[in-house]
Amino acid sequence: SPMNANQIQARGTVTEVLKHGAYRVDLANGHRCIARAPDGARLFPGDRVQLEFHLYDLSRGRIVPPD
């Protein structure tokens, strides 16, 4: 999906699988967030992912396909 001006992207590593398609992800800068993956995606601790955030809430991201 095309990004808008209120979104930023970052890369991170899955550290924990949570319920309902959510994952705990650590970013390279030490920031930790909860991210949701597209339906049907199965990720595991250690997987590297591309994330999209809204600028107003950096605690929750969306896992998107890598560029």
Side-chain angles (χ1 to χ4, degrees):
S1 67
M3 280 190 11
N4 67 41
N6 293 323
Q7 293 175 325
I8 59 170
Q9 286 196 343
R11 293 184 190 274
T13 302
V14 174
T15 57
E16 187 179 351
V17 178
L18 306 172
K19 294 181 181 178
H20 309 297
Y23 299 87
R24 189 174 315 281
V25 178
D26 285 357
L27 307 185
N29 65 3
H31 182 72
R32 176 172 283 177
C33 70
I34 303 293
R36 294 205 170 274
D39 287 344
R42 289 189 55 96
L43 300 170
F44 300 93
D47 286 351
R48 306 264 302 141
V49 292
Q50 177 92 10
L51 301 165
E52 201 170 77
F53 295 95
H54 285 283
L55 286 176
Y56 58 79
D57 186 1
L58 298 177
S59 68
R60 296 189 173 275
R62 183 168 58 132
I63 296 170
V64 295
D67 292 340

